[in-house]
Amino acid sequence: EIVMTQSPATLSVSPGERATLSCRASQSVSSNLAWYQQKPGQAPRLLIYGASTRATGIPARFSGSGSGTEFTLTISSLQSEDFAVYYCQQYNNWPLYTFGQGTKLEIK
Amino acid sequence: QLQLQESGPGLVKPSETLSLTCTVSGGSISSSSYYWGWIRQPPGKGLEWIGSIYYSGSTYYNPSLKSRVTISVDTSKNQFSLKLSSVTAADTAVYYCARLIRWQWPDYWGQGTLVTVSS
């Protein structure tokens, strides 16, 4: 099983500032990585797939980078609606896809 | 607009079988471009992959759950279903159904349904 480790567990950032979230895989997943945003009581929302491709309708302030074992999600200028929990997911190891434990992005 | 909706009992007794159905609207479950999957999230915790199915009926399960999981598809009803046998309290979770791009990442999710395992 590929273990996905996200850091930090909680990130406190002020609106308008940049947020950088990290995701590390226990072995290479190539670029087969997605990022999701989840707000309380809601389903996850796809933000990024292929490590760096924004999903349909996702604002340009969200960007993803990385390959292999190290990945980053950057939110360039935080808006109030961006405060949520973010998960990474590898889909390289079929059929056992795994998620990170999540990073909670909170208002500073 | 594609929509997925989970349905089924919200309370299941220990040792019994959890059964959920996902109804797909606004698109065909028989599309060759997509797989259909189940993912769960225990209260206050992270996401766990359960398994997925293609419209042809081919299934792919998380090895840790494989002995207890069955996913099936009914193309005539545009639905797919999850059965999880011999449940325990550890199976208490919000269960999501989702559409997978090819067999890979979920792009559309249902709203989720909480299933509690308790006597």
Side-chain angles (χ1 to χ4, degrees):
Chain A
E1 175 179 333
I2 298 178
V3 178
M4 307 301 292
T5 303
Q6 292 186 242
S7 60
T10 303
L11 182 61
S12 299
V13 183
S14 300
E17 294 189 340
R18 174 189 296 257
T20 302
L21 290 67
S22 296
C23 176
R24 173 176 293 180
S26 60
Q27 63 190 75
S28 176
V29 298
S30 187
S31 295
N32 296 316
L33 185 108
W35 288 94
Y36 302 88
Q37 176 194 70
Q38 187 177 35
K39 297 180 179 180
Q42 296 185 15
R45 173 195 181 197
L46 176 66
L47 300 175
I48 301 284
Y49 61 91
S52 61
T53 302
R54 276 190 305 278
T56 302
I58 301 304
R61 65 181 182 272
F62 290 90
S63 63
S65 63
S67 66
T69 61
E70 299 283 345
F71 301 89
T72 301
L73 175 70
T74 301
I75 311 170
S76 60
S77 178
L78 279 163
Q79 308 296 303
S80 58
E81 62 267 28
D82 299 335
F83 293 96
V85 178
Y86 291 83
Y87 292 96
C88 61
Q89 178 226 342
Q90 66 81 17
Y91 51 90
N92 191 66
N93 187 30
W94 171 260
L96 178 51
Y97 296 156
T98 47
F99 294 87
Q101 81 281 14
T103 290
K104 182 178 181 180
L105 182 56
E106 63 177 27
I107 301 175
K108 187 175 182 179
Chain B
Q1 176 76 350
L2 188 77
Q3 292 187 322
L4 296 91
Q5 179 67 58
E6 304 89 350
S7 59
L11 181 64
V12 180
K13 290 182 168 56
S15 80
E16 296 190 343
T17 296
L18 177 160
S19 295
L20 296 174
T21 295
C22 182
T23 300
V24 178
S25 58
S28 174
I29 204 169
S30 299
S31 170
S32 60
S33 300
Y34 309 112
Y35 281 57
W36 305 89
W38 289 96
I39 298 147
R40 68 180 181 178
Q41 185 172 36
K45 296 188 178 180
L47 299 157
E48 181 180 29
W49 194 270
I50 299 172
S52 60
I53 191 165
Y54 194 51
Y55 76 93
S56 63
S58 297
T59 52
Y60 308 89
Y61 301 137
N62 180 335
S64 70
L65 298 170
K66 188 175 183 178
S67 63
R68 299 195 291 132
V69 172
T70 302
I71 299 176
S72 58
V73 64
D74 186 336
T75 55
S76 67
K77 295 182 178 179
N78 229 31
Q79 296 176 334
F80 62 106
S81 298
L82 169 70
K83 291 188 185 297
L84 181 65
S85 63
S86 305
V87 297
T88 69
D91 295 310
T92 293
V94 175
Y95 285 76
Y96 295 101
C97 61
R99 185 182 81 170
L100 312 183
I101 297 295
R102 296 192 287 276
W103 58 90
Q104 298 176 309
W105 64 92
D107 64 339
Y108 279 92
W109 297 63
Q111 66 184 26
T113 187
L114 174 63
V115 179
T116 301
V117 178
S118 175
S119 55

